[in-house]
């Protein structure tokens, strides 16, 4: 090879992507955006990689062959787990150049808050109202009532905006406690106080 000649495997001809990651805790997503490839060697593809902290394996989330496609949304994140992202830029000769790693962690969603417990002694009922769950993977609300040593689900609704229930037919002289539990599509239960 002559002096000054370049090879398609020269990293200077295939610069790494500059990546930014933004996390939306309420939607349980991480959005990756990166700089479009501007190298001298012909472009082949981007690969979006994710690694879970403390694990050796790396998942390839996407293989993108369009040089203009510089965004990817990961909607498979688990809460309270640290994820590391990289974008590989690969040229037509097979040279892979990795971006810097970006570490993200979804926060656990806060529970709903029971805002109102209005007792109506004339009708022996309680009007229970709570804040709407704004987190990810909503499946249903369960309203639980406790009295003495017994706790049971008195109603369940799959409507996110349905945040009120009138519990009627209560017994006088009995102490009741209420709790709203959000059930997620992942089988998690997030309980109010």
């Amino acid at each position: 090879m002559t002096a000054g000649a370049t090879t398609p495997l020269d990293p200077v001809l295939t610069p790494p992507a500059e990546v930014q990651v933004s996390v939306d805790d309420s939607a349980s997503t991480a959005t990756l955006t990166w700089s479009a490839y501007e190298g001298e060697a012909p472009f082949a593809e981007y690969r979006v990689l994710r690694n879970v902290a403390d694990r050796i394996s790396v998942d390839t989330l996407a293989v993108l062959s369009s040089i203009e496609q510089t965004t990817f949304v990961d909607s498979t994140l688990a809460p309270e787990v640290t994820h590391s992202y990289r974008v590989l830029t690969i040229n037509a000769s097979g040279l892979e150049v990795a971006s810097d790693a970006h570490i993200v962690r979804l926060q656990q969603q806060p529970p709903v808050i029971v805002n109102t417990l209005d007792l109506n002694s004339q009708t022996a009922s309680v009007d229970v109202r709570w804040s709407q769950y704004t987190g990810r993977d909503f499946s249903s609300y369960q309203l639980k009532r406790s009295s003495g040593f017994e706790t049971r689900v008195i109603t369940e609704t799959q409507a996110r905006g349905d945040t009120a229930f009138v519990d009627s037919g209560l017994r006088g002289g009995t102490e009741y406690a209420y709790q709203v539990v959000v059930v997620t599509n992942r089988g998690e239960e997030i309980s109010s106080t």
Side-chain angles (χ1 to χ4, degrees), residues 43-110:
F43 172 81
E45 63 190 24
Y46 302 115
R47 288 188 191 161
V48 180
L49 307 178
R50 182 183 71 193
N51 174 259
V52 175
D54 301 330
R55 294 191 189 157
I56 297 172
S57 64
V58 176
D59 296 320
T60 300
L61 301 179
V63 177
L64 310 169
S65 58
S66 170
I67 198 169
E68 291 86 23
Q69 188 168 359
T70 58
T71 302
F72 177 79
V73 178
D74 181 9
S75 59
T76 62
L77 299 175
E80 303 296 326
V81 174
T82 302
H83 299 85
S84 174
Y85 291 96
R86 291 181 193 268
V87 174
L88 285 183
T89 303
I90 303 169
N91 71 21
S93 298
L95 177 68
E96 299 178 357
V97 180
S99 69
D100 290 336
H102 290 268
I103 310 290
V104 300
R105 182 178 177 93
L106 286 179
Q107 300 304 311
Q108 178 67 41
Q109 293 302 304

Side-chain angles (χ1 to χ4, degrees), residues 139-156:
S139 178
S140 67
Y141 297 114
Q142 290 180 346
L143 179 60
K144 294 184 177 183
R145 178 182 66 204
S146 300
S147 59
F149 295 105
E150 178 190 19
T151 299
R152 65 185 189 104
V153 175
I154 57 173
T155 189
E156 184 168 7

Side-chain angles (χ1 to χ4, degrees), residues 110-114 130-134 141 180-182 190-193:
V112 298
I113 298 170
V114 177
W130 58 91
S131 62
Q132 183 171 314
Y133 179 69
T134 58
Y141 297 114
V180 178
V181 177
V182 174
I190 305 169
S191 301
S192 72
T193 55

